[in-house]
Amino acid sequence: MTLPNTSSENHEVLLRMEGVYKSFPGVQALSDARFELRYGEVHALVGENGAGKSTLMKILGGIYHMDAGQVYLEGRAVEIHSPRMAQDLGISIIHQELNLMPHLTIAQNIFIGREPRSKISFLMDDKTTNQQAENLFKLLNLQLDPTTKVSDLTVAKQQMVEIAKALSYNAKILVMDEPTAALTDTEIEELFSVIRQLREKGVGIVHISHRLEELKQISDRVTVMRDGKYIDTLQTQAAPINQIISLMVGRIIYESAPELPENPSQEVVLEVRNLNSGKLLKDVSFSLKRGEILGFAGLMGAGRTEVARAIFGADPYDSGEIYVKGQRVHIKSPGDAVSQGVGYLSEDRKRYGLALGMDVKENVAMAAMKKFLSWLGWVDFKRTAARGQEMVKALNIKTPSLEQKVKFLSGGNQQKVVVGKWLTADTDILIFDEPTRGIDVGAKSEIYKLLNDLAHQGKAIIMISSELPEVLRMSHRVVVMCEGRVTGVLNASEATQESIMKFATMRGSVVQASA
Amino acid sequence: MKSETKTAQTLFRSDAMQRLMAFSALIVLSIGFSVASPYFRTFDNFVGILLATAVNGVLALGVTFVIITAGIDLSVGTVLTFSAVLTGVFITNWHLPIPLGILGGVLAGSLAGFVNGTLISRMKIPPFIATLGMLYATKGLSLVISELKPIYFNDTPAFREMAMGSILGKIIPGFEVPNAVFILFGAAIIANFILTRTVLGRYTFALGSNEEATRLSGVNVAAWKTAVYTLCGFFAGIGGVLMASRLNSAQPALGAGYELDAIAAVVIGGTSLSGGEGSILGTIIGAFIISTLTNGLRILSVPQEWQMVVTGGIVILAVFLDILRRRR
């Protein structure tokens, strides 16, 4: 594909961000991040989950404020304090979760906050609003009726509305965060043709994407970020995908080889066959053995959590079969799952895993309350306390007392309380969703040890993780997902950061073509 | 053919459908009561229903705006009392001219609404709590200001004439429909105009539909939200004046509980508590359903306590039908 002249000859710099630092409580999200955008350029921004792409762009959009750094727009230093200010400077961001008002019409959405008024200034002029929207669509060759309610549109069309809205602010810079994540192939083609038109008009476009193949189709340059840092900027056409991937994952050698014992058992305790759920899950099949830690890798939105929630009965699924220890089971609620011996440790412990205002022993007993009832139906405090004490000892939970409210414990100890809860419920299959998220480095290795011990004791463990080193270090086998499909299952010996990333970015059409 | 079923589905799901359903319910109710009791279908009773709807209807107009923003206002009942009492103070105790007294009463309601809006949008107090506080505060203030006694408008017969007189009856003898009914319709037309034609109306929907997106579009969310609650207080103020005029007195102990009737009317009228949709026409129909039901059941000698049970059932049924409609 040849690029239009504007982008290859006009090298004038539209935007430059330098030395950007940003920290959130407990995390250094950006350190010395950099970015440059030219007129009429599509510039892809890539990196693993948490690399800092979205944070950098939210700073550009005035949603976050940087701790340090410089932003130059058309050569002038600017400070962007609010979304409104970004708009006025010609910067528009289309967020991953679309920011539209579903109950309003397309035209009303586009002109919200600056509605054309009639002669009496507080009255709206809907005719002009619709007319102006119509003109905008003509300019972009879009087939949209301005009076349609946004809630009646497909995601792809809603995205077009967002683009039209951005352009109606005379945007010079358009940032698109994962614009293709929810689109079909034809819709992506439509989107790209709109992007190409904008490029020809000199608009600078930042394209954040996890889909590496599609960068070749649309972008001129690609900037790679890792751990909040700028890594490199390449000409897309000249850069092989493998090179981009290795820049994304880095060359750092993480701690030693897996300390996992050889998985002795061949007994399959959980088997999932052809699990389907709307657009979220497509034909997901895998099996889990006793004493095994099965890693689930993939990018955000790949469907890993959805698989876990479906197995656990937290969300309904359309079709598929689930076997626990060879028996077909119909799990319709988390209660069913627990009685089948399946426990789920959510990625959001505070919201879904713990009763924060209750104490350690009460949380430990919560999923198996029946065991702690006396024959008249009241809670036997002695037994609850004894069990709590047992778990505090076994899991090495650091708490001043059993009566400590769990909200005052550290992240690592909270995680252990959740584990204690599921051990008390006697579940043999444990699904850990991001077990070390928000846990500091020291506590992480304790959690790893705990996972190992559990596997050793014969528990079967599914570990969903977005941290590749963690997946590589902790898993006997790795299931890789992309867009609701299982794209690969790797043994510990075959799994590398590169091989996992390859499967994690393998889109549906590619899978079908190679199958 | 596929598109036909789709059109039919869209029609079924549309807001117009909700209003049509509510309106049909009102017709069915009226026919049912007419068949059951000859007294129900008399002109006098019809006027009685209209009059009984006036205060609750005006109150519900303001609540419609608040609920469309996905908020709630529990204070409208006692803000109504507060406005009525102040109107009494202005006209009877201070001997202010009637129009000035009315203006004062309406402004008092608006002020209470403004305070609600400020608490909610600037101090980020949840609407339920902020307006619950306002409910108690205005209830207490009404009792303090009136010294626990009703204030009568016996010196100013013209004040009572405002709601209970009948301009229509003077034009067409025999059609003695009280002015209060026309005040309700006038207020409804104004409310509908504000909701559908003005910027305030547009932002009312936008706030309820996606507040964050509205904020990111550069709209001053706090200011407009305050305006919505102020408007709600404004309508509560009109309701208070209307009520005082109708009873020829400001009753400091009356009004608590009216907010629930108003919310019920809004909900029966198809305005979603989750925000983003709703209409004035729906609210008016909802208010009429409640007063028709109350009136009809009373004529059929159903005890008042059972009337409440039926009203409760109707509210739940209306919302359930709405949920069914959305689910398809």
Side-chain angles (χ1 to χ4, degrees):
Chain A
M1 195 186 69
T2 54
L3 300 173
N5 290 335
T6 44
S7 62
S8 46
E9 284 169 15
N10 183 354
H11 278 191
E12 212 179 323
V13 174
L14 170 57
L15 167 79
R16 192 196 302 275
M17 300 176 83
E18 280 176 5
V20 180
Y21 286 80
K22 172 74 188 174
S23 66
F24 295 107
V27 200
Q28 186 69 38
L30 294 175
S31 55
D32 199 15
R34 243 179 291 164
F35 190 71
E36 183 200 271
L37 184 66
R38 297 172 186 158
Y39 290 99
E41 173 189 44
V42 178
H43 195 141
L45 187 55
V46 300
E48 284 188 277
N49 297 336
K53 301 162 295 190
S54 293
T55 307
L56 186 65
M57 289 302 122
K58 282 183 175 164
I59 286 171
L60 180 63
I63 297 166
Y64 293 157
H65 300 248
M66 55 190 171
D67 303 335
Q70 293 291 328
V71 179
Y72 299 95
L73 192 65
E74 305 189 293
R76 278 186 311 122
V78 290
E79 288 186 24
I80 305 167
H81 297 298
S82 69
R84 186 65 188 246
M85 235 175 129
Q87 261 170 19
D88 293 342
L89 289 169
I91 300 164
S92 277
I93 300 192
I94 299 176
H95 298 276
Q96 216 169 338
E97 34 338 307
L98 295 176
N99 265 306
L100 294 170
M101 286 132 286
H103 299 92
L104 304 190
T105 69
I106 295 177
Q108 289 169 356
N109 262 283
I110 291 177
F111 292 102
I112 187 85
R114 55 205 167 109
E115 293 77 6
R117 310 286 173 89
S118 68
K119 280 171 214 143
I120 312 166
S121 72
F122 59 85
L123 294 189
M124 293 171 302
D125 183 349
D126 277 337
K127 229 187 214 163
T128 312
T129 309
N130 290 336
Q131 192 54 52
Q132 288 186 5
E134 196 96 61
N135 293 345
L136 205 56
F137 299 154
K138 257 186 220 145
L139 215 65
L140 289 168
N141 294 322
L142 294 177
Q143 303 288 325
L144 289 173
D145 175 358
T147 61
T148 312
K149 255 195 189 185
V150 163
S151 56
D152 293 338
L153 299 176
T154 60
V155 176
K157 293 273 191 251
Q158 292 186 5
Q159 209 142 41
M160 299 295 174
V161 173
E162 285 255 33
I163 294 175
K165 181 176 170 185
L167 293 178
S168 71
Y169 283 100
N170 295 318
K172 291 177 210 145
I173 298 174
L174 185 62
V175 180
M176 308 180 80
D177 195 349
E178 295 272 353
T180 56
L183 306 192
T184 65
D185 286 350
T186 33
E187 288 168 339
I188 290 174
E189 227 3 271
E190 263 176 68
L191 176 72
F192 283 179
S193 83
V194 172
I195 291 181
R196 286 188 193 106
Q197 285 177 47
L198 297 178
R199 172 163 67 188
E200 270 160 54
K201 293 188 174 105
V203 177
I205 294 157
V206 184
H207 180 92
I208 300 179
S209 182
H210 278 318
R211 295 172 161 177
L212 298 180
E213 304 87 17
E214 97 189 6
L215 300 186
K216 294 262 175 196
Q217 293 176 44
I218 191 71
S219 74
D220 305 316
R221 288 193 296 168
V222 52
T223 288
V224 181
M225 289 183 74
R226 186 176 68 229
D227 301 330
K229 296 187 186 70
Y230 169 86
I231 301 299
D232 204 355
T233 300
L234 309 164
Q235 297 290 331
T236 314
Q237 295 307 319
I241 286 186
N242 281 339
Q243 188 191 351
I244 297 174
I245 290 179
S246 62
L247 286 173
M248 281 167 67
V249 296
R251 291 257 169 255
I252 310 156
I253 310 295
Y254 286 89
E255 291 172 57
S256 62
E259 26 182 287
L260 287 170
E262 274 295 297
N263 175 24
S265 174
Q266 285 306 312
E267 183 194 343
V268 172
V269 289
L270 174 73
E271 186 167 7
V272 172
R273 286 187 203 155
N274 301 95
L275 197 63
N276 280 290
S277 175
K279 283 182 182 169
L280 298 173
L281 300 177
K282 288 163 198 144
D283 275 329
V284 172
S285 302
F286 66 91
S287 63
L288 173 68
K289 296 172 197 150
R290 174 180 298 281
E292 178 181 46
I293 299 179
L294 183 64
F296 263 66
L299 298 162
M300 243 184 282
R304 297 167 298 164
T305 297
E306 286 75 7
V307 171
R309 288 180 60 92
I311 296 171
F312 188 58
D315 293 330
Y317 52 92
D318 301 334
S319 65
E321 294 161 23
I322 298 174
Y323 297 83
V324 173
K325 291 174 187 151
Q327 295 285 315
R328 172 104 191 251
V329 293
H330 298 274
I331 294 172
K332 292 204 177 69
S333 70
D336 291 350
V338 174
S339 56
Q340 293 294 344
V342 180
Y344 172 60
L345 293 83
S346 162
E347 56 189 317
D348 194 344
R349 287 183 292 282
K350 293 188 177 168
R351 268 176 72 194
Y352 302 120
L354 292 164
L356 289 174
M358 292 170 76
D359 65 30
V360 173
K361 61 176 166 27
E362 288 166 331
N363 270 286
V364 164
M366 190 148 14
M369 218 57 217
K370 268 189 215 153
K371 291 187 187 170
F372 300 99
L373 297 182
S374 70
W375 61 279
L376 275 175
W378 60 66
V379 180
D380 185 334
F381 291 110
K382 256 189 207 154
R383 257 190 293 160
T384 318
R387 178 65 192 181
Q389 191 56 51
E390 215 177 300
M391 283 295 112
V392 165
K393 232 180 178 172
L395 302 175
N396 195 19
I397 300 172
K398 290 186 193 75
T399 171
S401 77
L402 287 176
E403 283 74 37
Q404 178 77 325
K405 288 186 177 166
V406 294
K407 67 176 160 196
F408 298 120
L409 299 183
S410 72
N413 283 305
Q414 287 181 345
Q415 184 67 286
K416 289 182 192 171
V417 173
V418 185
V419 173
K421 177 173 98 173
W422 290 114
L423 292 181
T424 303
D426 239 346
T427 47
D428 290 332
I429 300 167
L430 293 169
I431 307 173
F432 286 82
D433 201 345
E434 304 286 358
T436 61
R437 176 170 293 172
I439 290 176
D440 60 63
V441 183
K444 266 186 188 178
S445 61
E446 263 195 90
I447 298 288
Y448 294 150
K449 186 172 172 305
L450 180 61
L451 285 171
N452 274 345
D453 291 348
L454 291 172
H456 223 40
Q457 291 159 21
K459 304 281 182 195
I461 294 172
I462 289 176
M463 184 191 70
I464 299 171
S465 173
S466 295
E467 288 183 41
L468 286 183
E470 178 171 298
V471 172
L472 289 173
R473 181 178 161 187
M474 291 302 302
S475 318
H476 291 102
R477 287 184 303 147
V478 181
V479 173
V480 190
M481 291 187 69
C482 178
E483 298 180 351
R485 287 171 213 277
V486 172
T487 46
V489 179
L490 305 167
N491 286 320
S493 55
E494 315 165 297
T496 60
Q497 300 208 17
E498 282 80 4
S499 63
I500 290 176
M501 272 318 257
K502 207 174 96 195
F503 284 113
T505 54
M506 193 179 268
R507 301 206 28 233
S509 50
V510 180
V511 179
Q512 278 159 5
S514 64
Chain B
M1 204 192 96
K2 208 175 172 186
S3 73
E4 260 172 48
T5 45
K6 209 176 166 188
T7 327
Q9 259 187 14
T10 325
L11 189 69
F12 183 75
R13 292 177 59 167
S14 71
D15 306 344
M17 189 64 197
Q18 166 71 20
R19 262 163 272 162
L20 196 66
M21 272 159 58
F23 189 65
S24 324
L26 182 58
I27 300 293
V28 169
L29 266 182
S30 304
I31 292 174
F33 284 130
S34 300
V35 172
S37 159
Y39 179 70
F40 181 86
R41 45 180 197 256
T42 61
F43 178 74
D44 281 354
N45 190 51
F46 181 64
V47 171
I49 292 175
L50 287 175
L51 186 60
T53 316
V55 170
N56 184 36
V58 169
L59 218 49
L61 292 177
V63 177
T64 308
F65 282 82
V66 168
I67 293 185
I68 291 174
T69 66
I72 193 79
D73 191 342
L74 298 176
S75 69
V76 288
T78 54
V79 167
L80 170 142
T81 317
F82 181 62
S83 304
V85 167
L86 279 182
T87 308
V89 169
F90 294 147
I91 293 176
T92 303
N93 299 2
W94 294 8
H95 307 292
L96 290 183
I98 292 175
L100 222 54
I102 292 174
L103 187 69
V106 173
L107 281 181
S110 311
L111 180 69
F114 178 79
V115 173
N116 275 335
T118 305
L119 293 175
I120 292 161
S121 64
R122 311 262 176 206
M123 296 167 66
K124 312 285 177 212
I125 297 171
F128 192 97
I129 305 299
T131 59
L132 184 67
M134 183 57 74
L135 183 157
Y136 282 110
T138 45
K139 189 176 180 180
L141 281 176
S142 303
L143 293 169
V144 171
I145 293 168
S146 65
E147 294 170 332
L148 309 178
K149 290 189 294 278
I151 303 171
Y152 292 95
F153 296 93
N154 292 334
D155 305 337
T156 49
F159 181 68
R160 185 177 141 75
E161 276 298 297
M162 184 192 75
M164 297 309 285
S166 177
I167 294 174
L168 185 70
K170 282 185 188 124
I171 302 167
I172 317 167
F175 283 88
E176 307 281 335
V177 180
N179 296 337
V181 175
F182 295 100
I183 293 174
L184 168 63
F185 288 142
I189 289 167
I190 292 170
N192 191 50
F193 186 78
I194 294 174
L195 190 60
T196 56
R197 295 290 171 78
T198 69
V199 181
L200 176 59
R202 176 67 42 83
Y203 293 159
T204 301
F205 282 108
L207 283 172
S209 192
N210 188 342
E211 186 172 329
E212 181 63 9
T214 311
R215 192 178 70 81
L216 290 179
S217 303
V219 174
N220 186 343
V221 165
W224 289 104
K225 210 186 242 184
T226 307
V228 168
Y229 282 88
T230 307
L231 186 69
C232 184
F234 170 80
F235 280 111
I238 294 182
V241 172
L242 209 55
M243 173 98 150
S245 169
R246 198 185 140 194
L247 300 176
N248 197 32
S249 63
Q251 301 281 349
L254 215 62
Y258 283 30
E259 65 279 348
L260 301 180
D261 287 339
I263 293 168
V266 173
V267 167
I268 292 174
T271 296
S272 159
L273 279 175
S274 49
E277 49 192 318
S279 71
I280 294 300
L281 182 60
T283 294
I284 291 295
I285 294 171
F288 274 111
I289 287 181
I290 292 178
S291 47
T292 304
L293 203 63
T294 313
N295 177 284
L297 293 173
R298 194 170 52 225
I299 288 171
L300 296 181
S301 313
V302 175
Q304 202 188 352
E305 46 276 26
W306 282 105
Q307 293 170 21
M308 292 182 197
V309 175
V310 174
T311 309
I314 295 286
V315 169
I316 290 167
L317 183 70
V319 173
F320 179 62
L321 286 176
D322 200 35
I323 288 170
L324 281 187
R325 175 176 71 94
R326 276 162 224 272
R327 213 181 270 165
R328 312 233 161 181

